[in-house]
Amino acid sequence: MATVHVLGAGLAGLSAALRLAKAGRRVVVHEAAKQAGGRCRSYFDPALGLTIDNGNHLLLSGNRDALDFLTLAGAPEGVLAGPVDAAFAFADLATGERWTLRPNAGRLPWWVLDARRRVPGSRARDYLAPLGIFRGAAKAATIGESMACEGLLWDRLWHPVLLAALNTEPRESDAGLAATILRETLGAGGRACRPLVAVEGLSAAFVDPALAALTQAGAEVRFGRRLRALGIEGGRLARLDFSDGPEELGPDDAAVLALPAWVAADLMPGLSVPQSHRSIVNAHFAVPPKPGAPLLLGVVGGVTEWLFSYPDRLSVTISGADRLLDVPREDLARTIWDEVSRLSGFAGEPLPRWQIVKEKRATFAATPAETARRPGARTHIANLALAGDWTATGLPSTIEGAIRSGATAAQVLAGTGGNAALRGAA
């Protein structure tokens, strides 16, 4: 039977591998690290004495590819938790105000007419501002060139939401990516906007079920295998050179390259990939939240941007965080804890056990220039497809984008123009 080699066991690679294995293909996954998950995994942190994720991630009920992945992997019910309806709690550190944004379930956004459902001080017509993003998307413009980036609603809604989604200062971000996000979530109504969090960890939700499903489907996962080079002969991938030796590909074999953009570019000279990246800072505090704390709290007016209340800890995410990379970790922990303690009912209490995680290349910079550098899944090599959140998914660098890219890569190998032996894998 023809073999598909999936190179990389992050969510993009796992997504491609699952699609192919479930379709009856022989799949071998190769991963350089000792564990799967890439930038979406859990690990035990000795400083906290807790298992944490290497990055807090928020999903929405409209993330169909991510939810389909969980179904395909046979993930247990309840691995993603969230409110029954679309509801987003916010707090303003500067003023002390709190409110909850409550979009209605249907596509017609009548909720903006109800002052109790929208941002305090905003008017219904203020919510028309993002329509400019859809016009800007057709011109490869930035958000700053497409809508007014100022005012109360910008500060309290559009800026924090777009920054979280794009991990790039929204004013310089690509309007096309923002348009896709808005179209698939808020534009689809509240049913697509219900916030979902992997409260027991990303590995428990995504990685462990996927690995179990791959094993059950007869796939093989090999850890500690670092890819050094691709052997190309006659327009086909003929050999994989790993650190522990080469592996020859048969005439009907194929591969999915699901590695970080900079690694893929080294392996495939001339491949266009995003060059610039943005960081994310996460702060974790080993203190359980007070009863009734919202699972997710959007924060304006401080360093803290999003506060996650996990059962055993409080965790903060700060996007586009390049400005914080050189701040000493302890100073950062104290600053963030001062804000978190006031927001969560622990004001005046000493700094608990903490951890600061700085991910320097968390995502590609979601600018028009970097978006234009994203390659498609299909390559000039007949039996090789690309996957990764940095490929041209139409989405920014997100879990949804990574999983979608893997599904697309599987379709490329299975469809017309792909390897005939892989047809039916999509």
Side-chain angles (χ1 to χ4, degrees):
M1 181 183 292
T3 299
V4 183
H5 297 271
V6 177
L7 307 164
L11 285 190
L14 292 176
S15 172
L18 265 180
R19 293 271 179 173
L20 293 160
K22 290 283 189 176
R25 303 303 98 190
R26 181 177 184 271
V27 174
V28 180
V29 181
H30 307 269
E31 169 58 48
K34 296 179 180 179
Q35 69 284 318
R39 286 170 292 138
C40 180
R41 60 180 174 82
S42 310
Y43 66 95
F44 180 78
D45 186 274
L48 289 168
L50 301 172
T51 296
I52 62 173
D53 296 326
N54 60 347
N56 296 316
H57 289 270
L58 171 70
L59 290 99
L60 297 174
S61 52
N63 293 153
R64 294 311 317 168
D65 287 278
L67 297 180
D68 288 347
F69 175 92
L70 294 179
T71 299
L72 195 64
E77 291 288 334
V79 293
L80 298 181
V84 175
D85 300 310
F88 295 87
F90 281 88
D92 189 326
L93 276 166
T95 67
E97 287 181 275
R98 290 185 180 244
W99 65 93
T100 301
L101 195 75
R102 298 183 183 275
N104 60 281
R107 287 180 178 270
L108 185 65
W110 59 259
W111 65 275
V112 302
L113 302 175
D114 187 343
R116 296 168 298 178
R117 287 177 170 262
R118 60 181 190 245
V119 175
S122 66
R123 302 162 298 180
R125 64 175 178 269
D126 297 336
Y127 292 80
L128 297 175
L131 292 177
I133 288 177
F134 295 95
R135 293 189 292 269
K139 306 174 185 176
T142 65
I143 293 173
E145 295 167 335
S146 306
M147 67 176 285
C149 298
E150 58 186 7
L152 179 142
L153 199 58
W154 172 258
D155 294 336
R156 288 189 161 188
L157 179 61
W158 301 125
H159 185 271
V161 166
L162 292 171
L163 178 59
L166 300 161
N167 196 40
T168 304
E169 168 53 44
R171 292 175 180 83
E172 65 185 46
S173 295
D174 182 68
L177 296 179
T180 302
I181 288 288
L182 292 174
R183 187 180 300 112
E184 294 187 7
T185 55
L186 197 57
R191 290 189 187 92
C193 295
R194 190 164 62 89
L196 300 170
V197 177
V199 291
E200 298 301 326
L202 294 170
S203 288
F206 290 92
V207 182
D208 297 342
L211 292 175
L214 286 171
T215 299
Q216 187 176 26
E220 184 180 354
V221 182
R222 302 174 183 173
F223 294 109
R225 302 207 81 198
R226 186 172 299 279
L227 185 64
R228 299 297 188 189
L230 301 173
I232 312 298
E233 297 176 6
R236 293 186 72 261
L237 179 63
R239 188 182 67 258
L240 298 168
D241 291 329
F242 292 101
S243 54
D244 58 354
E247 185 151 345
E248 303 292 332
L249 271 66
D252 291 323
D253 292 349
V256 176
L257 188 65
L259 298 172
W262 53 92
V263 179
D266 287 341
L267 293 166
M268 297 179 66
L271 177 67
S272 174
V273 301
Q275 301 291 318
S276 180
H277 296 81
R278 295 291 184 268
S279 63
I280 291 177
V281 167
N282 290 282
H284 305 275
F285 302 98
V287 54
K290 298 279 189 179
L295 179 61
L296 177 72
L297 179 67
V299 183
V300 297
V303 175
T304 301
E305 293 175 355
W306 297 93
L307 173 60
F308 292 77
S309 292
Y310 293 99
D312 57 0
R313 69 190 185 279
L314 296 170
S315 293
V316 165
T317 291
I318 303 167
S319 302
D322 292 11
R323 69 193 185 282
L324 301 177
L325 293 180
D326 294 330
V327 177
R329 296 172 69 255
E330 185 162 351
D331 292 348
L332 198 52
R334 292 189 180 281
T335 296
I336 297 172
W337 174 248
D338 177 67
E339 296 179 348
V340 168
S341 63
R342 288 186 282 135
L343 291 166
S344 54
F346 293 96
E349 296 198 15
L351 179 67
R353 284 178 290 129
W354 57 272
Q355 182 60 275
I356 299 291
V357 181
K358 299 180 180 181
E359 186 70 46
K360 293 184 179 180
R361 290 195 285 192
T363 71
F364 67 86
T367 63
E370 297 301 330
T371 299
R373 294 189 177 101
R374 301 171 75 184
R378 192 180 301 278
T379 73
H380 66 283
I381 302 169
N383 58 339
L384 178 66
L386 299 176
D389 60 8
W390 50 272
T391 60
T393 64
L395 291 168
S397 185
T398 59
I399 286 178
E400 178 79 351
I403 290 173
R404 184 174 299 182
S405 76
T408 301
Q411 291 170 349
V412 164
L413 293 181
T416 57
N419 191 307
L422 300 173
R423 302 269 173 92

